Amino acid sequence: MRLFNREPKADQLKVVIVGAGEVGYHISHRLAQEHKQVVVIDQDENALRRISEILDVQTILGSGSSPKVLKDAGAANADIFLAVTDSDEVNIIACLFANIIAPDAKKLARIRNEEYSGYSKELSENLLNISAIINPEVEVIKSIDRLLSMPGAVDYNEFAAGKIKLIGVRMGHGPLLDQTLMNFRSVVSDSDVIIAAIVRDDALIIPGGSDTIQKDDIVYFVCKNTSLESVRKACGRSLDPIKNAFIIGGGNIGFRLASLFEKKGIHTKIVDSNPDRCSVLAEKLDAALVLCGDGTDQEFLQEENIAEMDVVVSLTSDEETNILTSLLAKNLGVKKTVTRVNKLAYQPLIKAVGIDHSVSPRLSAVNSILQYVRQGNVLSSVSISGEGAEALEAIAESHSEIVGKPIKDLPFPKGTLVIGIMRDTEVIIPNGESVILPDDRIIILTTPENVARVEQALVVTLQSV
């Protein structure tokens, strides 16, 4: 057992995590950054050592499905219980015992098997009292869908039921280039568009009026649905929708994505090297064209006119193959590539070698889990620029300290912005004088080190009740 470097405070949120793999590690990393009390359980001594050498968390060697181990980990006092091992069965059993040991804790389970997912209501309400079941395959499809919903963007998220957009665009040209933010309104007169953040050389900047937009910056715009054209003009980029897609890899994720593209009316080709799998895909898919072939074969790709595709998505289980096929597609003239990469060590290489986007089922699962970990009435949470920032969508509770004050007077630390408000059906892109009212849906952009203070401001204050 490894204990904390610093003694946890009594009022710290306590999170017990079963599973020290990629998902468990990255959730632990995020929560430890936010000074939460984190306990990680795993049977793999090397995985625990990796965590304990880097993070200030407690680690316990043992099975997360053992009630004795859970009790030793202090699960009875946990506020949140996360079962995120690679085994669905271990995660289900861990939640079963956690429901007995800590019935009031919020419980989340990572479950991939569709047979189990079909009983999500029973698992959530009747048996285990699980708050949410997270399927990494489903979450990565959501990530890809968001990316491709705005083809000219490198990052895209929606809030307030899709009425507020957060769009990251790499600046290559356009009227905003080399302009200071003080001149923003002289270029973009639309008051429903603001700039929330700038990413430059992998560093995230919450900009001020004197900051200048430079070539190759990724600029994050916040806007209403009706202002997308204003963003397009400001960036000098086309935001035309995807019409033709090519999927390499016909596994579960490839099949799910092809099914989604069919529903959206996107002309889709999906290729897999296994003839038996191709037969299954052909039976299950209606409009998509199923091809049996090698996605790394240049001649095969040329025969299929890959250069005419708007996007190539590489989703095989082998990430080296995914990287190779994406590079080959770019070399053959494809406009956009999306690559499945699980090894985080490869992530910094993706843009360096010319691949447009990378997605990871594990990291997509982490983002989904985080929204349930947040204190306050948080509806959704997404990471911006890796882990450089986080956008939270929350309901303003009537007695919280953010209600009834101009935004410029809110008790938020530097580097935290309120970037959107939805009041009933009205959408507001706020300024410093805007006032948050009870039950407003608000979107807050903040950095990891400030999340704890933002959560504190969102929670109902007992003194006010």
Side-chain angles (χ1 to χ4, degrees):
M1 179 185 295
R2 188 260 192 191
L3 301 176
F4 297 98
N5 293 329
R6 295 169 295 175
E7 190 67 25
K9 297 178 181 178
D11 60 349
Q12 276 183 311
L13 192 79
K14 182 171 183 177
V15 184
V16 174
I17 301 173
V18 176
E22 290 293 327
V23 174
Y25 172 81
H26 283 283
I27 296 172
S28 303
H29 183 265
R30 291 290 291 273
L31 299 182
Q33 275 186 315
E34 298 163 16
H35 308 296
K36 292 179 171 62
Q37 184 182 352
V38 179
V39 181
V40 182
I41 303 168
D42 203 289
Q43 297 185 89
D44 186 337
E45 197 167 357
N46 291 328
L48 290 178
R49 186 181 298 114
R50 174 196 180 197
I51 285 180
S52 63
E53 287 176 352
I54 299 173
L55 308 177
D56 183 23
V57 302
Q58 181 181 352
T59 58
I60 293 180
L61 183 65
S63 172
S65 60
S66 163
K68 180 181 183 305
V69 172
L70 295 181
K71 287 179 181 178
D72 291 342
N77 300 318
D79 298 292
I80 296 170
F81 184 88
L82 308 177
V84 294
T85 75
D86 287 335
S87 168
D88 291 351
E89 290 75 18
V90 168
N91 295 338
I92 290 171
I93 294 171
C95 286
L96 173 66
F97 285 117
N99 195 39
I100 297 169
I101 296 169
D104 295 330
K106 183 184 290 185
K107 289 171 280 292
L108 287 84
R110 174 189 178 189
I111 297 177
R112 292 175 294 181
N113 190 316
E114 289 189 20
E115 288 188 22
Y116 297 150
S117 300
Y119 290 89
S120 58
K121 183 177 181 181
E122 288 78 6
L123 291 172
S124 301
E125 297 177 5
N126 302 331
L127 299 175
L128 306 181
N129 194 25
I130 297 176
S131 300
I133 291 174
I134 306 297
N135 185 330
E137 294 178 357
V138 172
E139 299 307 322
V140 80
I141 293 300
K142 292 178 182 177
S143 298
I144 295 171
D145 188 32
R146 284 197 304 269
L147 280 173
L148 299 183
S149 295
M150 194 64 59
V154 298
D155 200 358
Y156 176 74
N157 290 283
E158 295 182 342
F159 303 94
K163 295 181 179 179
I164 298 176
K165 317 286 189 183
L166 178 61
I167 308 169
V169 181
R170 189 176 296 277
M171 303 300 293
H173 52 279
L176 277 178
L177 208 61
D178 299 323
Q179 295 282 349
T180 64
L181 263 63
M182 285 186 292
N183 294 331
F184 180 70
R185 283 290 168 239
S186 65
V187 179
V188 182
S189 59
D190 188 339
S191 61
D192 290 329
V193 180
I194 60 173
I195 290 178
I198 297 172
V199 176
R200 181 177 300 150
D201 298 328
D202 294 327
L204 185 131
I205 303 165
I206 304 296
S210 61
D211 285 297
T212 302
I213 296 174
Q214 300 178 11
K215 192 175 186 299
D216 291 330
D217 283 353
I218 297 175
V219 176
Y220 280 86
F221 296 88
V222 181
C223 70
K224 292 183 182 180
N225 260 339
T226 52
S227 297
L228 290 174
E229 182 63 16
S230 297
V231 173
R232 187 197 67 75
K233 288 180 179 178
C235 302
R237 281 186 174 273
S238 168
L239 300 178
D240 296 331
I242 295 288
K243 295 178 181 177
N244 299 289
F246 196 99
I247 301 171
I248 298 174
N252 289 340
I253 297 176
F255 167 69
R256 287 179 187 272
L257 185 62
S259 300
L260 176 65
F261 284 169
E262 283 187 338
K263 293 175 183 175
K264 291 188 162 217
I266 297 172
H267 179 259
T268 304
K269 294 182 179 181
I270 180 168
V271 60
D272 197 276
S273 58
N274 186 326
D276 293 335
R277 181 60 182 171
C278 288
S279 297
V280 172
L281 292 172
E283 289 177 6
K284 291 185 175 181
L285 295 170
D286 296 322
L289 178 61
V290 179
L291 305 169
C292 192
D294 182 0
T296 63
D297 185 335
Q298 180 170 327
E299 187 175 332
F300 169 76
L301 296 178
Q302 287 175 320
E303 287 176 357
E304 294 302 329
N305 300 315
I306 197 169
E308 297 178 4
M309 297 293 119
D310 297 316
V311 63
V312 170
V313 188
S314 299
L315 296 173
T316 76
S317 57
D318 184 271
E319 45 209 340
E320 287 83 2
T321 297
N322 294 337
I323 293 171
L324 178 60
T325 54
S326 293
L327 290 174
L328 187 56
K330 290 292 284 188
N331 189 53
L332 292 173
V334 175
K335 301 172 188 174
K336 184 180 287 291
T337 54
V338 180
T339 307
R340 174 186 176 182
V341 178
N342 284 328
K343 291 179 184 173
L344 295 178
Y346 287 175
Q347 294 286 347
L349 303 174
I350 298 301
K351 289 178 184 175
V353 299
I355 295 173
D356 299 298
H357 300 291
S358 64
V359 292
S360 164
R362 292 166 180 165
L363 290 184
S364 297
V366 169
N367 283 334
S368 298
I369 289 168
L370 281 174
Q371 76 183 72
Y372 296 99
V373 175
R374 296 287 168 240
Q375 293 178 280
N377 195 348
V378 174
L379 303 176
S380 64
S381 168
V382 295
S383 295
I384 305 299
S385 181
E387 295 183 356
E390 188 170 335
L392 301 169
E393 181 178 4
I395 301 294
E397 303 281 7
S398 58
H399 295 291
S400 66
E401 56 181 322
I402 64 172
V403 166
K405 302 174 184 175
I407 285 176
K408 63 182 177 65
D409 296 333
L410 292 181
F412 286 150
K414 185 178 179 182
T416 298
L417 298 174
V418 177
I419 60 175
I421 299 172
M422 184 173 176
R423 181 171 301 148
D424 295 324
T425 58
E426 180 189 8
V427 175
I428 302 165
I429 303 299
N431 56 43
E433 300 299 328
S434 301
V435 176
I436 296 171
L437 300 181
D439 298 322
D440 282 353
R441 286 173 72 158
I442 56 173
I443 298 96
I444 302 169
L445 183 71
T446 190
T447 52
E449 58 269 22
N450 291 333
V451 166
R453 180 66 188 97
V454 171
E455 287 180 304
Q456 182 183 0
L458 289 173
V459 174
V460 175
T461 54
L462 295 177
Q463 294 88 343
S464 303
V465 177

